[in-house]
Coordinates of all heavy atoms in Angstrom, one line a residue:
M20 N -24.0 20.0 22.8 CA -22.9 21.0 23.2 C -21.7 20.2 23.7 O -20.6 20.6 23.5 CB -23.5 22.0 24.1 CG -22.5 23.0 24.4 SD -23.4 24.4 25.1 CE -22.2 25.4 25.5
F21 N -22.0 19.2 24.5 CA -20.9 18.4 25.1 C -20.1 17.7 24.0 O -18.9 17.7 24.1 CB -21.5 17.4 26.1 CG -20.5 16.6 26.8 CD1 -19.7 17.3 27.8 CD2 -20.3 15.3 26.6 CE1 -18.7 16.6 28.5 CE2 -19.3 14.6 27.3 CZ -18.5 15.2 28.2
N22 N -20.8 17.2 23.0 CA -20.0 16.5 21.9 C -19.2 17.5 21.1 O -18.1 17.2 20.6 CB -21.0 15.8 20.9 CG -21.6 14.6 21.5 OD1 -21.1 14.0 22.4 ND2 -22.8 14.3 21.1
L23 N -19.7 18.7 20.9 CA -18.9 19.7 20.2 C -17.6 20.0 20.9 O -16.6 20.2 20.3 CB -19.8 21.0 20.0 CG -19.1 22.1 19.3 CD1 -18.8 21.7 17.9 CD2 -20.0 23.4 19.3
F24 N -17.7 20.1 22.2 CA -16.5 20.4 23.0 C -15.4 19.2 22.9 O -14.2 19.5 22.7 CB -16.9 20.5 24.5 CG -15.7 20.8 25.4 CD1 -15.0 22.0 25.3 CD2 -15.2 19.8 26.3 CE1 -13.9 22.3 26.2 CE2 -14.1 20.1 27.1 CZ -13.5 21.3 27.0
L25 N -15.9 18.0 22.9 CA -15.0 16.8 22.7 C -14.3 16.8 21.4 O -13.1 16.5 21.3 CB -15.7 15.5 23.0 CG -16.0 15.2 24.5 CD1 -16.8 13.9 24.6 CD2 -14.8 15.1 25.3
T26 N -15.1 17.1 20.3 CA -14.5 17.0 19.0 C -13.5 18.1 18.8 O -12.4 17.9 18.1 CB -15.6 17.1 17.9 OG1 -16.3 18.3 18.1 CG2 -16.4 15.9 17.9
T27 N -13.7 19.3 19.3 CA -12.7 20.4 19.2 C -11.5 20.1 20.0 O -10.4 20.3 19.5 CB -13.3 21.7 19.8 OG1 -14.7 21.8 19.4 CG2 -12.6 22.9 19.3
E28 N -11.6 19.5 21.2 CA -10.5 19.1 22.0 C -9.7 18.0 21.3 O -8.5 18.0 21.3 CB -10.9 18.7 23.4 CG -9.8 18.4 24.3 CD -10.3 18.1 25.7 OE1 -11.0 18.9 26.3 OE2 -10.0 16.9 26.1
A29 N -10.4 17.0 20.7 CA -9.7 15.9 20.0 C -8.9 16.4 18.8 O -7.8 16.0 18.5 CB -10.7 14.9 19.6
T30 N -9.5 17.4 18.1 CA -8.8 17.9 16.9 C -7.6 18.7 17.4 O -6.5 18.6 16.8 CB -9.8 18.9 16.2 OG1 -11.0 18.2 15.9 CG2 -9.1 19.4 14.9
T31 N -7.7 19.4 18.4 CA -6.5 20.2 18.9 C -5.4 19.3 19.4 O -4.3 19.5 19.1 CB -7.0 21.1 20.1 OG1 -8.1 21.9 19.7 CG2 -5.9 22.1 20.5
S32 N -5.8 18.2 20.1 CA -4.8 17.3 20.6 C -4.2 16.5 19.5 O -3.0 16.2 19.5 CB -5.4 16.4 21.7 OG -6.3 15.5 21.1
G33 N -4.9 16.2 18.4 CA -4.4 15.5 17.3 C -3.3 16.4 16.6 O -2.3 15.9 16.1
A34 N -3.6 17.7 16.4 CA -2.6 18.6 15.8 C -1.4 18.7 16.7 O -0.3 18.8 16.2 CB -3.3 19.9 15.5
G35 N -1.6 18.7 18.0 CA -0.5 18.8 18.9 C 0.4 17.6 18.9 O 1.6 17.7 19.0
M36 N -0.3 16.4 18.7 CA 0.5 15.2 18.6 C 1.4 15.2 17.3 O 2.5 14.8 17.4 CB -0.5 14.0 18.5 CG -0.4 13.1 19.7 SD -1.8 12.0 19.7 CE -1.0 10.5 19.6
L37 N 0.8 15.7 16.2 CA 1.5 15.7 15.0 C 2.7 16.7 15.1 O 3.8 16.4 14.7 CB 0.6 16.2 13.8 CG 1.3 16.3 12.5 CD1 1.7 14.9 12.0 CD2 0.3 16.9 11.5
A38 N 2.5 17.8 15.8 CA 3.5 18.8 16.0 C 4.6 18.2 16.9 O 5.8 18.5 16.7 CB 3.0 20.1 16.6
S39 N 4.3 17.3 17.8 CA 5.3 16.8 18.7 C 6.1 15.7 17.9 O 7.3 15.4 18.3 CB 4.7 16.2 19.9 OG 3.9 15.1 19.6
F40 N 5.6 15.0 17.0 CA 6.3 14.0 16.2 C 7.1 14.6 15.0 O 7.9 13.9 14.5 CB 5.3 12.9 15.7 CG 4.9 11.9 16.7 CD1 3.6 11.8 17.1 CD2 5.9 11.1 17.3 CE1 3.2 10.9 18.0 CE2 5.5 10.2 18.3 CZ 4.2 10.1 18.6
L41 N 6.8 15.8 14.6 CA 7.5 16.4 13.5 C 9.0 16.5 13.7 O 9.7 16.1 12.7 CB 6.9 17.8 13.2 CG 7.3 18.5 11.9 CD1 6.8 17.6 10.7 CD2 6.7 19.8 11.8
P42 N 9.5 16.9 14.8 CA 11.0 16.9 15.0 C 11.6 15.5 14.8 O 12.7 15.3 14.2 CB 11.2 17.5 16.4 CG 10.0 18.2 16.7 CD 8.9 17.5 16.0
L43 N 10.9 14.5 15.3 CA 11.4 13.1 15.2 C 11.4 12.7 13.8 O 12.4 12.1 13.3 CB 10.5 12.2 16.1 CG 10.9 10.7 16.0 CD1 12.3 10.5 16.6 CD2 9.9 9.9 16.7
I44 N 10.4 13.0 13.0 CA 10.3 12.7 11.6 C 11.5 13.4 10.9 O 12.1 12.8 10.0 CB 9.0 13.0 11.0 CG1 7.9 12.1 11.7 CG2 8.9 12.9 9.5 CD1 6.5 12.5 11.4
L45 N 11.7 14.6 11.2 CA 12.8 15.4 10.5 C 14.1 14.8 10.8 O 15.0 14.7 9.9 CB 12.7 16.9 10.9 CG 11.6 17.7 10.4 CD1 11.6 19.1 11.0 CD2 11.6 17.7 8.8
V46 N 14.4 14.4 12.0 CA 15.6 13.7 12.4 C 15.8 12.4 11.6 O 16.9 12.2 11.1 CB 15.7 13.5 13.9 CG1 16.9 12.5 14.3 CG2 15.9 14.8 14.6
L47 N 14.8 11.6 11.5 CA 14.9 10.4 10.7 C 15.2 10.7 9.2 O 16.0 9.9 8.6 CB 13.6 9.6 10.9 CG 13.3 9.0 12.3 CD1 12.0 8.3 12.3 CD2 14.4 8.0 12.6
V48 N 14.6 11.7 8.7 CA 14.8 12.0 7.3 C 16.3 12.5 7.1 O 17.0 12.1 6.1 CB 13.8 13.1 6.8 CG1 14.3 13.7 5.5 CG2 12.4 12.6 6.7
V49 N 16.8 13.3 8.0 CA 18.2 13.7 8.0 C 19.1 12.6 8.1 O 20.1 12.5 7.3 CB 18.4 14.8 9.0 CG1 19.9 15.1 9.2 CG2 17.7 16.1 8.7
F50 N 18.9 11.6 9.0 CA 19.7 10.5 9.1 C 19.7 9.6 7.9 O 20.7 9.1 7.5 CB 19.2 9.6 10.3 CG 19.9 9.9 11.6 CD1 19.1 10.3 12.7 CD2 21.2 9.8 11.8 CE1 19.7 10.7 13.9 CE2 21.8 10.2 13.0 CZ 21.0 10.6 14.0
Y51 N 18.6 9.5 7.2 CA 18.5 8.7 6.0 C 19.4 9.4 4.9 O 20.2 8.7 4.3 CB 17.1 8.7 5.5 CG 17.0 8.0 4.1 CD1 17.1 6.6 4.0 CD2 16.8 8.7 3.0 CE1 17.0 6.0 2.8 CE2 16.8 8.1 1.7 CZ 16.8 6.7 1.7 OH 16.8 6.1 0.4
F52 N 19.3 10.7 4.7 CA 20.1 11.3 3.7 C 21.5 11.5 4.0 O 22.4 11.6 3.1 CB 19.4 12.6 3.3 CG 18.2 12.5 2.4 CD1 17.0 12.7 2.9 CD2 18.4 12.1 1.1 CE1 15.9 12.5 2.1 CE2 17.3 11.9 0.3 CZ 16.0 12.1 0.8
M53 N 21.9 11.6 5.3 CA 23.3 11.8 5.7 C 24.0 10.5 6.0 O 25.2 10.5 5.8 CB 23.3 12.7 7.0 CG 22.7 14.0 6.8 SD 23.8 15.3 6.1 CE 25.1 15.3 7.2
L54 N 23.3 9.4 6.4 CA 24.0 8.2 6.8 C 23.7 7.0 6.0 O 24.5 6.3 5.4 CB 23.8 7.9 8.3 CG 24.3 9.0 9.3 CD1 23.8 8.7 10.7 CD2 25.8 9.1 9.2
I55 N 22.4 6.7 5.9 CA 21.9 5.4 5.3 C 22.1 5.4 3.8 O 22.7 4.5 3.2 CB 20.5 5.2 5.7 CG1 20.4 5.0 7.2 CG2 20.0 3.9 5.0 CD1 19.0 5.0 7.8
R56 N 21.7 6.5 3.1 CA 21.7 6.5 1.7 C 23.2 6.5 1.2 O 23.5 5.7 0.3 CB 21.0 7.8 1.2 CG 20.8 7.8 -0.3 CD 19.8 8.9 -0.7 NE 19.7 9.0 -2.1 CZ 20.0 10.0 -2.8 NH1 20.4 11.1 -2.2 NH2 19.8 10.0 -4.1
P57 N 24.1 7.3 1.7 CA 25.5 7.2 1.2 C 26.1 5.8 1.5 O 26.9 5.3 0.7 CB 26.2 8.3 2.0 CG 25.2 9.2 2.4 CD 24.0 8.4 2.6
Q58 N 25.8 5.2 2.6 CA 26.3 3.8 2.9 C 25.8 2.8 1.9 O 26.6 2.0 1.5 CB 26.0 3.4 4.3 CG 26.5 2.1 4.8 CD 28.1 2.1 4.8 OE1 28.7 3.1 5.1 NE2 28.7 1.0 4.4
N59 N 24.6 2.9 1.6 CA 24.0 1.9 0.6 C 24.7 2.2 -0.8 O 25.0 1.2 -1.5 CB 22.5 2.1 0.4 CG 21.8 1.6 1.6 OD1 22.3 0.8 2.4 ND2 20.5 2.0 1.8
K60 N 24.9 3.4 -1.2 CA 25.6 3.7 -2.4 C 27.0 3.2 -2.5 O 27.4 2.6 -3.4 CB 25.6 5.2 -2.6 CG 26.1 5.7 -4.0 CD 26.0 7.2 -4.1 CE 26.5 7.6 -5.4 NZ 26.5 9.1 -5.6
K61 N 27.7 3.3 -1.3 CA 29.1 2.8 -1.3 C 29.1 1.3 -1.3 O 30.0 0.7 -2.0 CB 29.7 3.3 0.0 CG 31.2 2.9 0.2 CD 31.7 3.5 1.5 CE 33.2 3.0 1.6 NZ 33.8 3.4 2.9
S62 N 28.2 0.6 -0.7 CA 28.1 -0.8 -0.7 C 27.8 -1.3 -2.1 O 28.4 -2.3 -2.5 CB 27.0 -1.3 0.2 OG 27.2 -1.0 1.5
K63 N 27.0 -0.6 -2.9 CA 26.7 -1.0 -4.3 C 27.9 -0.9 -5.1 O 28.2 -1.7 -6.0 CB 25.5 -0.2 -4.8 CG 24.2 -0.6 -4.3 CD 23.1 0.2 -4.8 CE 21.8 -0.2 -4.2 NZ 20.7 0.7 -4.7
Q64 N 28.7 0.2 -4.9 CA 29.9 0.5 -5.7 C 31.0 -0.6 -5.4 O 31.6 -1.1 -6.3 CB 30.5 1.8 -5.4 CG 29.7 3.0 -6.0 CD 30.2 4.3 -5.6 OE1 31.0 4.5 -4.6 NE2 29.8 5.4 -6.3
E65 N 31.1 -1.0 -4.1 CA 32.1 -2.0 -3.7 C 31.7 -3.4 -4.3 O 32.5 -4.1 -4.8 CB 32.2 -2.1 -2.2 CG 32.9 -1.0 -1.6 CD 32.9 -1.0 -0.1 OE1 32.2 -1.9 0.5 OE2 33.6 -0.2 0.5
A66 N 30.4 -3.7 -4.3 CA 29.9 -4.9 -4.9 C 30.2 -5.0 -6.4 O 30.6 -6.0 -6.9 CB 28.4 -5.1 -4.6
A67 N 30.0 -3.8 -7.1 CA 30.2 -3.8 -8.5 C 31.7 -3.9 -8.8 O 32.1 -4.6 -9.7 CB 29.7 -2.4 -9.1
M68 N 32.6 -3.3 -8.0 CA 34.0 -3.4 -8.1 C 34.5 -4.9 -8.0 O 35.2 -5.4 -8.8 CB 34.7 -2.5 -7.1 CG 36.2 -2.6 -7.2 SD 37.1 -3.7 -6.1 CE 36.5 -3.4 -4.5
R69 N 33.9 -5.6 -7.0 CA 34.3 -7.0 -6.7 C 33.8 -7.9 -7.8 O 34.5 -8.9 -8.2 CB 33.8 -7.4 -5.4 CG 34.5 -6.8 -4.2 CD 34.1 -7.4 -2.9 NE 34.7 -6.7 -1.8 CZ 34.1 -5.8 -1.0 NH1 32.8 -5.7 -1.1 NH2 34.8 -5.2 -0.1
S70 N 32.7 -7.6 -8.4 CA 32.1 -8.4 -9.5 C 32.9 -8.2 -10.8 O 32.8 -9.1 -11.7 CB 30.6 -8.2 -9.6 OG 30.4 -6.9 -10.1
N71 N 33.5 -7.0 -11.0 CA 34.2 -6.7 -12.2 C 35.7 -7.0 -12.1 O 36.4 -6.5 -13.0 CB 34.0 -5.2 -12.6 CG 32.5 -5.0 -12.9 OD1 31.8 -5.8 -13.5 ND2 32.1 -3.8 -12.7
L72 N 36.2 -7.7 -11.1 CA 37.6 -8.0 -11.0 C 38.0 -8.9 -12.2 O 37.2 -9.8 -12.6 CB 37.9 -8.7 -9.7 CG 37.8 -7.8 -8.5 CD1 38.0 -8.6 -7.2 CD2 38.8 -6.7 -8.5
Q73 N 39.2 -8.7 -12.7 CA 39.7 -9.5 -13.8 C 41.1 -10.0 -13.4 O 41.8 -9.5 -12.6 CB 39.8 -8.7 -15.1 CG 38.5 -8.1 -15.5 CD 38.6 -7.1 -16.6 OE1 39.8 -6.8 -17.1 NE2 37.5 -6.5 -17.1
I74 N 41.5 -11.1 -14.2 CA 42.9 -11.6 -14.0 C 43.9 -10.5 -14.4 O 43.7 -9.9 -15.5 CB 43.1 -12.9 -14.8 CG1 42.2 -14.0 -14.3 CG2 44.5 -13.3 -14.8 CD1 42.2 -15.3 -15.0
G75 N 44.9 -10.3 -13.6 CA 45.9 -9.3 -13.9 C 45.7 -8.0 -13.1 O 46.5 -7.1 -13.1
D76 N 44.5 -7.8 -12.5 CA 44.3 -6.6 -11.7 C 45.1 -6.7 -10.4 O 45.3 -7.7 -9.8 CB 42.8 -6.5 -11.3 CG 41.9 -6.1 -12.4 OD1 42.4 -5.8 -13.5 OD2 40.7 -6.2 -12.3
E77 N 45.6 -5.5 -10.0 CA 46.3 -5.4 -8.7 C 45.2 -5.0 -7.6 O 44.5 -4.0 -7.8 CB 47.4 -4.3 -8.8 CG 48.3 -4.3 -7.6 CD 49.5 -3.4 -7.8 OE1 49.5 -2.6 -8.7 OE2 50.4 -3.4 -6.9
V78 N 45.2 -5.7 -6.6 CA 44.2 -5.5 -5.5 C 44.8 -5.4 -4.2 O 45.9 -5.8 -3.9 CB 43.1 -6.7 -5.5 CG1 42.3 -6.7 -6.7 CG2 43.8 -8.0 -5.2
V79 N 44.1 -4.7 -3.3 CA 44.5 -4.6 -1.9 C 43.4 -5.3 -1.0 O 42.2 -5.0 -1.2 CB 44.6 -3.1 -1.4 CG1 45.0 -3.0 0.0 CG2 45.6 -2.4 -2.3
T80 N 43.8 -6.2 -0.1 CA 42.9 -6.8 0.8 C 42.6 -6.0 2.0 O 43.4 -5.1 2.3 CB 43.3 -8.2 1.2 OG1 44.5 -8.1 2.0 CG2 43.7 -9.1 0.0
F81 N 41.6 -6.4 2.8 CA 41.4 -5.7 4.1 C 42.5 -5.8 5.0 O 42.7 -5.0 5.9 CB 40.0 -6.1 4.7 CG 38.8 -5.5 4.1 CD1 38.0 -6.3 3.3 CD2 38.5 -4.2 4.2 CE1 36.9 -5.7 2.7 CE2 37.4 -3.6 3.7 CZ 36.6 -4.4 2.9
G82 N 43.3 -6.9 4.9 CA 44.4 -7.1 5.8 C 45.7 -6.4 5.3 O 46.7 -6.4 6.0
G83 N 45.6 -5.7 4.2 CA 46.7 -4.9 3.7 C 47.6 -5.6 2.7 O 48.7 -5.1 2.4
I84 N 47.3 -6.8 2.3 CA 48.1 -7.5 1.4 C 47.8 -7.0 0.0 O 46.7 -6.9 -0.5 CB 47.7 -9.0 1.4 CG1 48.0 -9.6 2.8 CG2 48.5 -9.8 0.4 CD1 47.6 -11.0 3.1
I85 N 48.9 -6.7 -0.8 CA 48.8 -6.2 -2.1 C 49.2 -7.3 -3.1 O 50.3 -7.9 -2.8 CB 49.6 -5.0 -2.4 CG1 49.2 -3.9 -1.4 CG2 49.5 -4.5 -3.8 CD1 50.1 -2.7 -1.4
G86 N 48.4 -7.6 -4.1 CA 48.8 -8.7 -5.0 C 48.1 -8.5 -6.3 O 47.2 -7.7 -6.5
I87 N 48.5 -9.4 -7.3 CA 47.9 -9.4 -8.6 C 47.1 -10.7 -8.8 O 47.6 -11.8 -8.4 CB 49.0 -9.4 -9.7 CG1 49.8 -8.0 -9.5 CG2 48.5 -9.5 -11.1 CD1 51.0 -7.9 -10.4
I88 N 45.9 -10.5 -9.3 CA 45.0 -11.7 -9.4 C 45.6 -12.6 -10.5 O 45.9 -12.2 -11.6 CB 43.6 -11.2 -9.8 CG1 43.0 -10.3 -8.7 CG2 42.7 -12.4 -10.1 CD1 41.7 -9.7 -9.0
V89 N 45.7 -13.9 -10.1 CA 46.2 -15.0 -11.0 C 45.0 -15.8 -11.5 O 45.0 -16.2 -12.7 CB 47.2 -15.8 -10.3 CG1 47.7 -17.0 -11.2 CG2 48.4 -15.0 -9.8
S90 N 44.1 -16.1 -10.7 CA 42.9 -16.9 -11.1 C 41.7 -16.5 -10.3 O 41.8 -16.0 -9.2 CB 43.2 -18.4 -11.0 OG 42.9 -18.9 -9.7
I91 N 40.5 -16.7 -10.9 CA 39.3 -16.3 -10.3 C 38.3 -17.5 -10.4 O 38.2 -18.1 -11.4 CB 38.6 -15.1 -11.1 CG1 39.6 -13.9 -11.0 CG2 37.3 -14.8 -10.5 CD1 39.1 -12.7 -11.8
K92 N 37.7 -17.8 -9.3 CA 36.7 -18.8 -9.2 C 35.4 -18.1 -8.7 O 35.4 -16.9 -8.7 CB 37.1 -19.9 -8.2 CG 38.3 -20.6 -8.6 CD 38.2 -22.1 -8.6 CE 39.5 -22.6 -9.3 NZ 40.0 -23.8 -8.7
D93 N 34.4 -18.8 -8.4 CA 33.1 -18.2 -8.0 C 33.2 -17.2 -6.9 O 33.0 -16.0 -7.1 CB 32.1 -19.3 -7.6 CG 31.6 -20.1 -8.8 OD1 31.7 -19.6 -9.9 OD2 31.3 -21.3 -8.5
D94 N 33.7 -17.6 -5.8 CA 33.8 -16.6 -4.6 C 35.2 -16.5 -4.1 O 35.4 -15.9 -3.0 CB 32.8 -17.0 -3.5 CG 33.0 -18.4 -3.0 OD1 33.7 -19.2 -3.6 OD2 32.5 -18.7 -1.9
T95 N 36.2 -17.1 -4.8 CA 37.6 -17.0 -4.3 C 38.5 -16.5 -5.4 O 38.2 -16.6 -6.6 CB 38.1 -18.4 -3.9 OG1 38.1 -19.3 -4.9 CG2 37.3 -18.9 -2.7
L96 N 39.6 -15.9 -5.0 CA 40.6 -15.4 -5.9 C 41.9 -16.0 -5.5 O 42.2 -16.2 -4.3 CB 40.7 -13.9 -5.9 CG 39.4 -13.0 -6.1 CD1 39.7 -11.6 -5.7 CD2 39.0 -13.1 -7.5
V97 N 42.8 -16.1 -6.4 CA 44.2 -16.5 -6.1 C 45.0 -15.3 -6.5 O 45.0 -14.8 -7.7 CB 44.7 -17.7 -6.8 CG1 46.2 -18.0 -6.5 CG2 43.9 -18.9 -6.4
I98 N 45.7 -14.7 -5.5 CA 46.6 -13.5 -5.8 C 48.0 -13.9 -5.6 O 48.4 -14.8 -4.8 CB 46.2 -12.3 -5.0 CG1 46.4 -12.6 -3.5 CG2 44.8 -11.8 -5.3 CD1 46.2 -11.3 -2.6
E99 N 48.9 -13.2 -6.4 CA 50.3 -13.5 -6.3 C 51.0 -12.2 -5.7 O 50.7 -11.1 -6.1 CB 50.8 -13.6 -7.8 CG 52.2 -14.1 -7.9 CD 52.5 -14.4 -9.4 OE1 52.9 -13.4 -10.1 OE2 52.4 -15.5 -9.8
T100 N 51.8 -12.5 -4.6 CA 52.4 -11.4 -3.9 C 53.9 -11.5 -3.8 O 54.4 -12.6 -3.9 CB 51.8 -11.3 -2.5 OG1 52.2 -12.5 -1.8 CG2 50.3 -11.1 -2.5
G101 N 54.6 -10.4 -3.6 CA 56.0 -10.4 -3.3 C 56.9 -10.9 -4.5 O 56.4 -11.2 -5.6
N102 N 58.2 -10.8 -4.2 CA 59.2 -11.1 -5.2 C 59.3 -12.6 -5.4 O 59.6 -13.1 -6.5 CB 60.6 -10.6 -4.7 CG 60.6 -9.1 -4.7 OD1 59.9 -8.5 -5.4 ND2 61.5 -8.6 -3.9
E103 N 59.0 -13.5 -4.4 CA 59.0 -14.9 -4.6 C 57.8 -15.5 -5.2 O 57.6 -16.7 -5.4 CB 59.2 -15.6 -3.2 CG 60.5 -15.3 -2.5 CD 60.4 -14.1 -1.6 OE1 59.3 -13.8 -1.1 OE2 61.4 -13.4 -1.5
R104 N 56.9 -14.6 -5.6 CA 55.6 -15.0 -6.3 C 54.8 -15.9 -5.5 O 54.3 -17.0 -5.9 CB 55.9 -15.5 -7.7 CG 56.6 -14.5 -8.6 CD 56.7 -15.1 -10.0 NE 57.3 -14.1 -10.9 CZ 56.6 -13.2 -11.6 NH1 55.3 -13.3 -11.6 NH2 57.2 -12.4 -12.4
S105 N 54.7 -15.6 -4.2 CA 53.8 -16.4 -3.3 C 52.4 -16.2 -3.7 O 51.9 -15.2 -4.1 CB 54.0 -15.9 -1.9 OG 55.3 -16.0 -1.5
K106 N 51.7 -17.3 -3.7 CA 50.3 -17.3 -4.1 C 49.4 -17.5 -2.9 O 49.6 -18.4 -2.1 CB 50.0 -18.4 -5.2 CG 50.7 -18.1 -6.5 CD 50.3 -19.0 -7.5 CE 51.1 -18.7 -8.8 NZ 50.9 -19.6 -9.9
I107 N 48.3 -16.7 -2.8 CA 47.4 -16.8 -1.6 C 46.0 -16.8 -2.2 O 45.6 -16.1 -3.1 CB 47.5 -15.5 -0.8 CG1 49.0 -15.3 -0.2 CG2 46.6 -15.6 0.4 CD1 49.2 -14.0 0.5
R108 N 45.2 -17.8 -1.6 CA 43.8 -17.9 -2.0 C 43.0 -17.1 -1.0 O 43.1 -17.3 0.2 CB 43.4 -19.3 -2.0 CG 42.0 -19.5 -2.7 CD 41.7 -20.9 -2.8 NE 40.6 -21.2 -1.9 CZ 40.2 -22.3 -1.5 NH1 40.9 -23.4 -1.8 NH2 39.2 -22.4 -0.7
I109 N 42.2 -16.1 -1.5 CA 41.4 -15.3 -0.6 C 39.9 -15.3 -1.1 O 39.6 -15.7 -2.3 CB 41.9 -13.8 -0.6 CG1 41.9 -13.2 -2.0 CG2 43.3 -13.8 0.0 CD1 42.1 -11.7 -2.0
L110 N 39.0 -14.9 -0.2 CA 37.7 -14.7 -0.6 C 37.5 -13.4 -1.4 O 38.2 -12.4 -1.2 CB 36.8 -14.6 0.6 CG 36.5 -15.9 1.3 CD1 35.7 -15.6 2.6 CD2 35.8 -16.9 0.5
R111 N 36.6 -13.4 -2.3 CA 36.3 -12.1 -3.1 C 35.9 -11.0 -2.2 O 36.2 -9.8 -2.4 CB 35.2 -12.4 -4.1 CG 35.0 -11.4 -5.2 CD 33.9 -11.8 -6.1 NE 34.3 -12.8 -7.1 CZ 34.6 -12.6 -8.3 NH1 34.6 -11.4 -8.8 NH2 34.9 -13.6 -9.1
K112 N 35.2 -11.3 -1.1 CA 34.8 -10.3 -0.1 C 35.9 -9.6 0.6 O 35.8 -8.5 1.1 CB 33.9 -11.0 1.0 CG 32.6 -11.5 0.5 CD 31.8 -12.1 1.6 CE 30.6 -12.9 1.1 NZ 29.9 -13.6 2.2
A113 N 37.1 -10.3 0.6 CA 38.3 -9.7 1.3 C 39.0 -8.6 0.5 O 39.8 -7.9 1.0 CB 39.3 -10.8 1.6
V114 N 38.5 -8.4 -0.7 CA 39.2 -7.3 -1.5 C 38.6 -6.0 -1.1 O 37.4 -5.7 -1.2 CB 38.9 -7.6 -3.0 CG1 39.5 -6.4 -3.9 CG2 39.6 -8.9 -3.5
E115 N 39.5 -5.1 -0.7 CA 39.1 -3.7 -0.3 C 39.0 -2.8 -1.5 O 38.1 -2.0 -1.6 CB 40.0 -3.2 0.8 CG 39.7 -1.8 1.3 CD 40.6 -1.3 2.3 OE1 41.6 -1.9 2.6 OE2 40.3 -0.3 2.9
S116 N 40.1 -2.9 -2.3 CA 40.1 -2.0 -3.5 C 40.9 -2.6 -4.6 O 41.7 -3.4 -4.4 CB 40.7 -0.6 -3.1 OG 42.0 -0.8 -2.7
C117 N 40.6 -2.1 -5.8 CA 41.3 -2.5 -7.0 C 42.1 -1.3 -7.4 O 41.6 -0.2 -7.7 CB 40.3 -3.0 -8.1 SG 41.1 -3.5 -9.6
L118 N 43.4 -1.5 -7.6 CA 44.3 -0.4 -7.9 C 44.5 -0.3 -9.5 O 44.9 0.8 -9.9 CB 45.7 -0.7 -7.3 CG 45.8 -0.8 -5.8 CD1 47.2 -1.1 -5.4 CD2 45.2 0.5 -5.2
T119 N 44.0 -1.2 -10.2 CA 44.1 -1.2 -11.7 C 42.9 -0.4 -12.2 O 41.7 -0.6 -11.8 CB 44.0 -2.6 -12.3 OG1 45.1 -3.4 -11.7 CG2 44.2 -2.6 -13.8
V120 N 43.2 0.6 -13.1 CA 42.1 1.4 -13.7 C 41.7 0.7 -15.0 O 42.6 0.5 -15.9 CB 42.6 2.8 -13.9 CG1 41.5 3.7 -14.6 CG2 43.0 3.5 -12.6
H121 N 40.5 0.4 -15.2 CA 40.0 -0.2 -16.4 C 39.5 0.9 -17.4 O 39.2 2.0 -17.0 CB 38.8 -1.1 -16.1 CG 39.2 -2.3 -15.3 ND1 39.9 -3.4 -15.8 CD2 39.0 -2.6 -14.0 CE1 40.1 -4.2 -14.8 NE2 39.6 -3.8 -13.7
E122 N 39.5 0.6 -18.7 CA 39.2 1.5 -19.7 C 37.8 2.0 -19.6 O 37.5 3.2 -19.7 CB 39.4 0.9 -21.1 CG 40.9 0.6 -21.4 CD 41.0 -0.1 -22.7 OE1 40.1 -0.4 -23.4 OE2 42.2 -0.5 -22.9
E123 N 36.8 1.2 -19.3 CA 35.4 1.6 -19.2 C 35.2 2.5 -18.0 O 34.3 3.3 -18.0 CB 34.4 0.4 -19.1 CG 34.6 -0.6 -18.0 CD 35.5 -1.7 -18.4 OE1 36.0 -1.8 -19.6 OE2 35.8 -2.6 -17.5
E124 N 36.0 2.4 -16.9 CA 35.9 3.3 -15.8 C 36.4 4.6 -16.1 O 35.9 5.6 -15.7 CB 36.6 2.7 -14.6 CG 36.0 1.5 -14.0 CD 36.8 0.9 -12.9 OE1 37.9 1.5 -12.5 OE2 36.5 -0.2 -12.3
S125 N 37.5 4.7 -16.9 CA 38.1 6.0 -17.2 C 37.3 6.7 -18.2 O 37.3 7.9 -18.3 CB 39.5 5.8 -17.7 OG 39.5 5.0 -18.9
A126 N 36.4 6.0 -19.0 CA 35.6 6.7 -20.0 C 34.4 7.4 -19.3 O 33.9 8.3 -19.9 CB 35.0 5.6 -21.0
K127 N 34.0 7.0 -18.1 CA 32.9 7.6 -17.4 C 33.3 8.9 -16.9 O 33.4 9.8 -16.7 CB 32.5 6.8 -16.2 CG 31.8 5.5 -16.6 CD 31.4 4.7 -15.4 CE 30.7 3.4 -15.8 NZ 30.4 2.6 -14.6

């Protein structure tokens, strides 16, 4: 009889523990779908944009410099800016956005 009392109490406390963790689990699920998943999707889109850069594309850097890509190496780009055709070498990671619309992007 003593063992029966302990197993019933353990079962009740186990269900109570699960019920107390349920709100925490729901908060984590909401954070995943509201914050983490969209951020990962945006990061993948930015990486795809940077890998598809071509010579002649107009780009904006994180510093606000607007220029046209003149040459591309592995992880660096040379962009041409301004009326004097100043050339600046930047990292591919420094490109915030590409202002040129490509044909395959417009077909989607």
